[in-house]
Amino acid sequence: MSVVETESRQGALWLWLNRPQRHNALVPELLADLRAAIAAALQEQPVALVLSGRGPSFSTGGDISGFLAHASSREELISYSDGLVTELHEALLDLLAFPAPVLAAVNGPVTGGSTGLMLVADMVAMSDQAFVQPYYSEVGFGPDGGWTALLPERIGTAKALQVQYLNERLAADVALELGLVADVCARAELEPRVDTWIDGIARRFRQTHQATRQNIWDDQRRSLVRRRLEQEKSRFLELVAQPETFEGMQNFTRKRA
């Protein structure tokens, strides 16, 4: 079974993260499937691309068990981490370059690097039971997925720093107030709400949507994001192999268990 499912609806393509038993936590297989699904969607030319998650969570970021399983040596852990973060960041850049509107239906918690999938979406609908939270300072990781590359532009530098320093949980209503999401609704209403957006998009000129998105996410702006994501990855790799980070991962896993 693919860990990313594709569904065609109303001329739009929905990409479903599909590791519900692990809260759609990120592993190389999921990110490879996601990038393949995005590439295939380019050929379909949908009126919109929608990201969502199966199960109780949208995605809880990098799967800590994956890091621990590759921690038998410093070199192995760095190699695994490099591959994972590279694939995540390339997926984000793929989405920024996508010609059609990119939407997100955030069905549950979104934490760590998975938050980037929200940050690159043009319009986000969030369940009223969902939240956003970094968790990096609880483990010892460097932030990835756009927490420093994209978030300050969205909510301001001071607020972006505060959220990460204090590991603040942003409930759905707070995310709405900060402009991270466009709408908040009950989970049962999430898909119909996004379907309404898609209907509105489909009734208007596709060429205008494409021009608008390409003007906003032009080569220069995406190049800046790429450079800042590379900086995130570099800092992540510096920290992930530190002894205190390994201890942080173990402690975090024990608390979750």
Side-chain angles (χ1 to χ4, degrees):
M1 182 182 298
S2 173
V3 286
V4 174
E5 294 182 343
T6 301
E7 177 188 2
S8 182
R9 198 159 83 204
Q10 292 181 279
L13 278 178
W14 288 65
L15 305 184
W16 295 90
L17 308 183
N18 188 35
R19 290 187 77 219
Q21 74 283 4
R22 294 294 298 169
H23 295 273
N24 299 320
L26 303 179
V27 290
E29 295 81 4
L30 184 148
L31 291 169
D33 279 5
L34 177 60
R35 293 197 67 202
I38 296 168
L42 282 170
Q43 305 305 313
E44 295 286 333
Q45 299 184 346
V47 298
L49 190 68
V50 188
L51 305 172
S52 194
R54 300 292 192 196
S57 300
F58 180 80
S59 177
T60 52
D63 195 327
I64 300 295
S65 66
F67 291 104
L68 291 173
H70 292 83
S72 59
S73 70
R74 184 176 186 276
E75 292 73 20
E76 182 186 8
L77 179 57
I78 290 176
S79 176
Y80 175 83
S81 303
D82 190 0
L84 185 73
V85 177
T86 296
E87 282 294 281
L88 170 61
H89 288 177
E90 289 299 327
L92 300 181
L93 291 164
D94 291 345
L95 290 166
L96 288 179
F98 200 79
V102 175
L103 313 177
V106 178
N107 52 298
V110 52
T111 64
S114 302
T115 305
L117 298 173
M118 278 182 54
L119 296 176
V120 299
D122 305 327
M123 298 171 65
V124 178
M126 178 179 273
S127 161
D128 56 9
Q129 300 301 306
F131 62 83
V132 181
Q133 195 165 2
Y135 281 110
Y136 294 104
S137 60
E138 301 295 304
V139 182
F141 289 155
D144 64 342
W147 276 90
T148 60
L150 292 165
L151 185 65
E153 187 179 53
R154 297 288 301 276
I155 67 174
T157 299
K159 186 62 177 178
L161 289 168
Q162 174 186 319
V163 169
Q164 294 180 75
Y165 289 159
L166 301 179
N167 190 35
E168 289 188 353
R169 175 170 294 189
L170 303 178
D173 59 337
V174 177
L176 180 63
E177 182 181 346
L178 290 172
L180 285 174
V181 305
D183 205 353
V184 172
C185 59
R187 179 166 177 171
E189 299 173 8
L190 196 60
E191 290 182 48
R193 189 68 48 91
V194 175
D195 285 338
T196 298
W197 289 352
I198 293 167
D199 180 63
I201 290 168
R203 286 188 287 106
R204 293 169 172 85
F205 277 105
R206 182 180 301 199
Q207 64 194 33
T208 304
H209 300 325
Q210 182 171 341
T212 302
R213 196 162 207 272
Q214 290 178 340
N215 285 347
I216 290 177
W217 292 111
D218 60 7
D219 290 343
Q220 183 177 4
R221 194 174 181 199
R222 285 187 285 111
S223 293
L224 176 59
V225 172
R226 177 178 288 278
R227 182 178 64 79
R228 300 191 71 190
L229 289 174
E230 285 293 330
Q231 180 174 273
E232 287 189 351
K233 183 178 75 170
S234 177
R235 298 278 165 75
F236 190 99
L237 297 179
E238 287 175 13
L239 296 181
V240 72
Q242 298 294 326
E244 55 266 40
T245 307
F246 181 74
E247 184 178 346
M249 287 191 285
Q250 290 182 312
N251 290 338
F252 187 82
T253 301
R254 280 194 289 266
K255 288 177 184 176
R256 291 294 163 188

